[in-house]
Amino acid sequence: MWRNVYRNGSLSGQFGKTNLIMINYFNFKEFENEYLITNDFGRYEFIDKSSLKTLVTGNANALEPALRESLTEKFFLTGESRQAYLEKSVPYLRDMKCHLLQSTGLFIFVMTNSCNLNCVYCQAQSENSSTKGLMSKEIAERGVEIALQSPLSSITVEFQGGEPLLNFETIKHIIEYADSRKGNKEIAYNLVSNLSLLTDEIADYLSDHKVQVSVSLDGNELVHNSNRPFRQGGGGSYSAAIRGIKMLRDRGISLGAIQTTTRFSLDHAKEIVDTYLELGFNNIFIRPLTKLGYANDHWEKIGYTPNEFLAFYKRALDHIIEINANGTVFSEGHANIFLTKILHGYSSNYMELRSPCGAAVGQIAIYYDGNIYTCDEGRMVAEMGDPAFKMGDVFTSDYNALIDSGVCKTVCTASCLEAIPGCCDCVYQPYCGVCPVINYAVDNDLFAKAPGNNRCKIYAGMLDYYFGILHKDDKNVIDILERWIQ
């Protein structure tokens, strides 16, 4: 069971003493033979049952001196001066909530919803929609003008699809138009592609304009080809992805990779990790399926339970840690995000793991037809036939109108963990995040209808794994984790 405790104000009247230490809000969970406690600063401590009982009853002065000192340093206890506590703690809370001090920084341009692959889990397409199209240059220009209205001095423009290289001429137009209009604003360009349509001309252009590329790569040839066959002919796309990776590497282009886990992937954890390592990547982002688009339509065939995914994830992480123990630095994406919060008390601003989530206030998705959605997932729900997360369009909206829209405000409200039952009193609340869009797609409600849904169980299981390592206090393994996030 997870529990929370809050002590606000002096306890001197209750205990007949003055200058008692005040206890800050915390959540707790039984963890092996002890209890894990956490607070809103992302600080944690493992304590025994007796110490927990002492905290719950509000008698912090009765704690062992070393523990009391540690809990004070980690902001569980205020010390004798509340003002000094506030002055010291505010910067650390700002680090955990740094995303709240930023405007929208990521603008996703969905160049097309067409694709030359027929991935079994495609979240950008649905059997409910058969309309295909390409973003026009007019829509592209209007989308750029909205992106440039963001108050941030530096933004990222990301090209997605479908397969965005089907509309490469408009990608070029966006880059050149944005560069001509950006003034003092810095723009980074990202491309998410299967790379099967990559040519020398395209690769040269990407290199010349410093476009970072993420390739969809699900693992070794067997897994990748099972998940990501070509639409025509049905053959696997692995060799095309490898060819594209080599072309980009030869030009020194910054290259990442995106992995998606299907039921077929579950028996191949080691092979998937080893493939990334052999191809020269220094990390892998192990991602579960999201029940959108084809993944939702075909869930009975390609889906799995949270426990099945977590077993796969733990096998992969155990293997990755073994790789590191043998001298090779190789990390995992979810672990990097969570551990940055746990060990460094700092949010990396990953859109799905923040409170509120990044919908609209962190990212905006501009669809090929000019409609604008809260996020990538929002436009995927629209592809399934429901435009609930449409905030406006490039013809009638500006940036301020989008942020002021009811859709933006509603999604922010629905993703504020500190106010969501079942999340606010969870020991993992400081590190986690919810996606109202996925809740809506699965449960027809912005709020999960039952605590502990699939997404919640997966994140909780990942965090159990990391905290299990920290609880064992294996210095060698913890040093490996620290290296990942330095």
Side-chain angles (χ1 to χ4, degrees):
M1 292 290 289
W2 295 329
R3 294 288 188 269
N4 62 49
V5 176
Y6 182 56
R7 293 290 182 266
N8 185 17
S10 173
L11 302 176
S12 58
Q14 180 179 351
F15 294 97
K17 297 180 181 180
T18 59
N19 296 325
L20 279 179
I21 298 171
M22 292 180 290
I23 302 173
N24 189 22
Y25 180 98
F26 68 88
N27 294 324
F28 69 89
K29 172 187 177 181
E30 189 170 0
F31 205 96
E32 298 179 1
N33 60 332
E34 293 190 302
Y35 288 84
L36 169 66
I37 63 173
T38 66
N39 58 28
D40 286 339
F41 302 94
R43 301 303 195 265
Y44 73 93
E45 186 78 66
F46 292 103
I47 61 177
D48 60 26
K49 187 173 183 178
S50 175
S51 298
L52 177 65
K53 184 177 180 180
T54 300
L55 283 176
V56 169
T57 57
N59 190 13
N61 281 334
L63 294 169
E64 292 292 329
L67 177 58
R68 187 168 66 244
E69 181 180 352
S70 177
L71 293 180
T72 301
E73 183 66 24
K74 296 177 180 179
F75 307 116
F76 288 98
L77 306 179
T78 64
E80 295 184 356
S81 170
R82 185 173 185 178
Q83 184 60 36
Y85 170 85
L86 292 173
E87 291 175 357
K88 182 179 179 180
S89 65
V90 164
Y92 293 94
L93 185 59
R94 185 181 293 117
D95 284 346
M96 282 297 286
K97 292 295 184 181
C98 59
H99 54 271
L100 296 177
L101 305 177
Q102 301 179 20
S103 304
T104 312
L106 173 61
F107 293 86
I108 298 171
F109 283 71
V110 182
M111 305 310 300
T112 178
N113 62 342
S114 297
C115 188
N116 60 332
L117 298 190
N118 190 29
C119 302
V120 296
Y121 53 73
C122 182
Q123 296 158 15
Q125 301 186 55
S126 170
E127 293 176 354
N128 293 328
S129 175
S130 59
T131 303
K132 308 297 179 187
L134 302 175
M135 179 178 286
S136 69
K137 291 181 179 179
E138 178 190 6
I139 289 174
E141 290 182 4
R142 289 177 179 267
V144 168
E145 293 296 338
I146 290 173
L148 293 176
Q149 292 168 15
S150 170
L152 285 183
S153 60
S154 177
I155 64 172
T156 297
V157 170
E158 183 167 285
F159 306 111
Q160 290 195 22
E163 172 47 51
L165 291 184
L166 287 168
N167 197 6
F168 182 64
E169 288 303 312
T170 303
I171 290 178
K172 290 170 57 178
H173 186 73
I174 289 173
I175 293 173
E176 291 158 17
Y177 182 78
D179 283 346
S180 71
R181 302 280 293 173
K182 67 181 181 180
N184 294 326
K185 195 180 292 289
E186 294 182 0
I187 305 177
Y189 298 103
N190 292 344
L191 169 70
V192 180
S193 170
N194 61 45
L195 298 187
S196 63
L197 301 177
L198 189 69
T199 64
D200 286 325
E201 177 189 359
I202 293 174
D204 288 340
Y205 186 91
L206 298 176
S207 176
D208 292 343
H209 290 81
K210 297 180 173 57
V211 179
Q212 299 183 60
V213 180
S214 291
V215 56
S216 300
L217 184 68
D218 283 357
N220 60 345
E221 186 170 9
L222 177 66
V223 172
H224 185 93
N225 285 344
S226 174
N227 290 348
R228 304 180 60 83
F230 279 104
R231 187 169 297 278
Q232 293 185 351
S237 60
Y238 181 80
S239 60
I242 300 305
R243 179 188 66 88
I245 290 171
K246 183 178 185 306
M247 291 174 66
L248 296 176
R249 288 253 174 84
D250 288 345
R251 291 164 172 80
I253 293 174
S254 178
L255 182 65
I258 300 172
Q259 183 269 352
T260 302
T261 306
T262 63
R263 181 180 296 175
F264 186 79
S265 310
L266 297 179
D267 293 330
H268 303 277
K270 183 178 182 296
E271 295 93 327
I272 292 170
V273 170
D274 287 344
T275 297
Y276 269 67
L277 191 63
E278 291 162 4
L279 290 173
F281 293 101
N282 59 13
N283 64 80
I284 183 173
F285 202 142
I286 299 175
R287 304 189 313 161
L289 283 172
T290 301
K291 292 186 72 173
L292 297 173
Y294 284 171
N296 182 63
D297 299 334
H298 304 152
W299 188 258
E300 292 302 317
K301 180 179 179 181
I302 66 173
Y304 35 72
T305 67
N307 286 340
E308 288 173 325
F309 174 80
L310 288 169
F312 162 81
Y313 181 80
K314 292 172 185 176
R315 288 195 300 273
L317 261 289
D318 287 343
H319 182 51
I320 290 172
I321 289 173
E322 181 182 357
I323 289 170
N324 282 262
N326 291 328
T328 300
V329 178
F330 184 89
S331 65
E332 194 280 322
H334 274 111
N336 288 348
I337 295 165
F338 281 122
L339 290 167
T340 297
K341 297 181 181 182
I342 295 168
L343 298 179
H344 288 185
Y346 187 80
S347 172
S348 60
N349 200 22
Y350 180 64
M351 300 297 171
E352 296 180 16
L353 289 172
R354 48 179 265 186
S355 173
C357 73
V361 293
Q363 65 172 304
I364 285 175
I366 302 170
Y367 206 39
Y368 78 91
D369 60 4
N371 288 326
I372 300 176
Y373 298 94
T374 53
C375 51
D376 202 28
E377 290 78 11
R379 64 99 173 182
M380 293 173 183
V381 171
E383 189 69 34
M384 295 167 67
D386 189 341
F389 298 95
K390 176 183 172 182
M391 296 190 295
D393 60 72
V394 299
F395 301 102
T396 62
S397 305
D398 61 16
Y399 176 78
N400 287 337
L402 297 172
I403 297 302
D404 196 44
S405 68
V407 174
C408 173
K409 295 174 183 177
T410 300
V411 173
C412 285
T413 300
S415 60
C416 188
L417 293 182
E418 293 82 353
I420 298 176
C423 293
C424 65
D425 56 357
C426 172
V427 73
Y428 293 141
Q429 173 263 314
Y431 319 111
C432 203
V434 298
C435 181
V437 180
I438 295 176
N439 288 342
Y440 180 85
V442 174
D443 291 333
N444 200 32
D445 196 320
L446 293 174
F447 298 91
K449 290 187 175 180
N453 59 19
N454 283 3
R455 183 185 178 89
C456 173
K457 289 176 181 176
I458 286 174
Y459 283 154
M462 289 178 173
L463 286 157
D464 282 343
Y465 179 91
Y466 312 138
F467 276 106
I469 292 173
L470 297 175
H471 186 246
K472 291 183 179 69
D473 199 26
D474 186 327
K475 300 299 184 183
N476 292 328
V477 177
I478 293 174
D479 284 346
I480 289 171
L481 303 183
E482 283 279 8
R483 285 201 299 271
W484 292 358
I485 59 178
Q486 285 176 351

